[in-house]
Amino acid sequence: MQNEHRKAIQNNFGSLVEQTDLDVMVSALYEKGVFSEQMIEPFKDTNKDTRTRKRQLYMDIMRRGPDAFGHLLEALEENGYWNLVRDLDPASSLHLQPRTTYNNQDSKSGESNYVSIRTERTKRTKSNVEATKNEIQAASSTSHKEGTDPSVDIPYFHVVKSKKFFEDNVDKDIKLYKTRGHQRGILVIFSYIQFYNDIERYRKGVDIDCKKLKYLFDEIGFSVIAYQNLTKQETETTLKRLEEVLVGTECVFIVVSSHGYERAPRSAETDIRCSDGHLLSFLDIVERFNNANLPALRGVPKVFISQLCRGRNEEWTLVPRRRAGAGSGEGVGGGGGAGDAPDTHHPRLESDGARWEEPVERQPDRIYSDILIAHSTVPGFVSHRDPEKGSWYIQALCEVFAARAHDCHVEKLFTLVDERMYRHFQVQTSSVEKWAFNRRLYLHPGLYED
């Protein structure tokens, strides 16, 4: 292996260990001939934890000859780890336009043209976003190989970049969250697709949601960490240890996608199904990020997105059919129509030691603040998912955020998401909760303060 390729792996070693699935990568590299059947046996040794085996995997790759680096890039791309491919290979065709840097002393921002991912290669300087480059002591993921479908195409949609920052004086009564630095944000995805002993149906289409979200938020300027098919204990351990990577970022998005169950009829509280069959309260996940449990994120906007059923209700009402084209409104991008086959719980469908310290004077402070929770549906109702295109809600979210995140704050974006989902699918209602989320959050895609 060439020295520059070995150095690229070393520089991104922590991200490779943290963000990839061991079973998926071992299988892909075996199929490409990087490792023989005998050579992959140590990676299957369950007497060692998953993290140790992944570290060994990437150390061994650096000793596997001149073609191993190219095969590694192919395996990462096929399985949706595009941010890692971009970090490893500056000449990768997965790069789009370079990030725009804004200089306070120059009112004009750079206006680079969009470069097609299909036909062009662009040279990108290494991002200053290092939040996920350091190894964090997170739970080991024991994802099933089937959880990621490499046949799913990379999503091609244009994410419009910002050309200027929004200022506090736009609305004197409501200030803005600060989102101008290179540590713009971190997206953490918890997806549960396959379940032990098939106690729940395989959630086909969720892998599409994950790939779209990874692509979208990487283009916006976020670092992405994805966990798949964790047990309840692994989920809880991972949540506890995320603080080490989240501290210092300007905002946090947490996506949770699984089968969901309401605790009582029309209850606002929802349980999620982990891969081992155990249930975990969605609100328990939110609790991990409150001001008492994670004080380092006080004042940092935290947006939770729940792609979950919140009950079994599939009812809808009938309204007079409008003439074709009447009152349809303007769209924000391509997408499926109302005729797309949904995927729900319905039989015909499928949803989804202490030491003394000098006393410090403290003052009371509220437990919850800077939290916004976006639900794909309302309490008591199912959340629909198309097996071929992904969930209705994530389809709408990706299309709206890609087209309008450059000129809309997050609350408005979620309003547009609901409008788009209604316009295309009619029968599902999303909802948003604010827990002292008292500032405007603009994501400023691709724009950074110098």
Side-chain angles (χ1 to χ4, degrees), residues 28 43 66 92 110 121 130 140 176 192 223 304 311 352 355 360 422 437 447:
F43 308 134
S92 170
R121 289 173 173 258
E130 297 294 339
S140 298
L176 306 185
Y192 304 84
S223 296
F304 296 83
D352 286 327
R355 64 177 182 177
V360 178
Y422 173 69
F437 196 86
L447 186 62

Side-chain angles (χ1 to χ4, degrees), residues 125-142:
T125 58
K126 188 176 180 181
S127 171
N128 289 332
V129 179
E130 297 294 339
T132 58
K133 296 299 178 72
N134 300 321
E135 296 182 51
I136 66 173
Q137 300 300 315
S140 298
S141 171
T142 55

Side-chain angles (χ1 to χ4, degrees), residues 77 85 89-96 116-122:
E77 180 176 340
V85 176
D89 182 13
S92 170
S93 60
L94 296 183
H95 290 303
L96 297 183
S116 169
I117 197 172
R118 301 184 186 222
T119 59
E120 298 291 339
R121 289 173 173 258
T122 60

